Amino acid sequence: MKVQLTHNGIVTSIKKIKQDYILLSVTIDRRPAFRPGQFMMMQVSDSYDPLLLRPFSILDENDGVYRFLIKIVGRGTRLIADFTCGKSVFLTGPFGNGFPQETGGSALVAAGGVGIASVYAFLQMLHKQGVPYELIYGARTKDELVLLDLLKPHHPLLSTDDGSQGYHGRLTDVLKKKIRPEHTVFACGPMPMLAVVKNITLQQKAACYLSLEARMACGFGVCLGCTIFDTSGNTKRVCKDGPVFEAGEVSFGKQTAKNR
Ligand SMILES: Cc1cc2nc3c(=O)[nH]c(=O)nc-3n(C[C@H](O)[C@H](O)[C@H](O)COP(=O)(O)OP(=O)(O)OC[C@H]3O[C@@H](n4cnc5c(N)ncnc54)[C@H](O)[C@@H]3O)c2cc1C
Ligand code: FES
């Protein structure tokens, strides 16, 4: 069966949550199947300016309603913040490999900032599968810890850099305290955080998967706009070979200028 990768969705809800975050619900009648950690490319303007679609992780899906957690960081995301209910939205995807479906052993999930959007569906999957897991969720300040009601069933260990909520310090400090060699770690967040996560898991000899972010143009492997170097010096496309990579594959010292 031919998989349809272009979709016309309708905005069914848009809520501003905390200062720079939006929870956007889009109904897509065809209900494309997705794996936790996959993303869709979203058109942000009817005028094709800006031209490029923007990538967003699928937070979850219920009855054809896809939710996206969006942090406002620039022009495209500001345009999304102005969407209204009933607006039609063009999307492509779902794209990317997503998180492994078989996790093995117990999982430690680490989400930094808006990285929580990428791991949320994965947490739901672990919960459903009965896999033992813990969630560590960190941000700079409590205003950037979002969706705490949704996350309650996952009993998150919270951290903030400024100590305004949860552990006072970096998420990676909490990870260091919690990690055991038998854990498999799954992480999404800013690149500097992921680099530290990689080092911690290497020291503990724990398996680790990282979901990376990169600027993207096509989202499906053609434009090479999202390439990074792996530890063997080969290029990898974050959109098609990732966004989830085994930590051992990712070279943080040798990224392309675009994605640094
Ligand atoms: C696979 C994937 C999944 C993502 N999932 C989410 C998500 O669920 N929620 C969410 O809020 N964001 C997510 N992002 C990041 C999101 O795509 C960007 O924040 C968005 O495209 C920025 O668009 P803009 O026009 O507002 O920003 P721009 O005006 O283009 O840029 C503003 C600032 O954001 C930085 N930036 C732009 N694009 C990216 C990017 N792709 N990665 C890292 N930094 C970027 C720029 O360097 C610049 O500093 C994801 C990115 C990828 C690659
Ligand atoms: S965004 Fe085009 S190849 Fe990845």
Side-chain angles (χ1 to χ4, degrees), residues 11 14 22-24 26 42-45 53-56 68-72 74-84 87 89:
V11 174
I14 177 159
I22 290 162
L23 190 59
L24 175 71
V26 178
M42 190 181 297
Q43 187 177 319
V44 297
S45 158
L53 278 61
R54 303 296 200 255
F56 297 101
F68 301 90
L69 173 70
I70 294 174
K71 182 175 182 187
I72 303 168
R75 186 155 173 243
T77 43
R78 271 199 298 275
L79 286 165
I80 294 174
D82 290 336
F83 283 6
T84 49
K87 184 195 174 347
V89 189

Side-chain angles (χ1 to χ4, degrees), residues 100-120:
Q101 297 288 291
E102 299 287 326
T103 50
S106 63
L108 209 45
V109 181
V114 74
I116 195 69
S118 163
V119 303
Y120 181 70

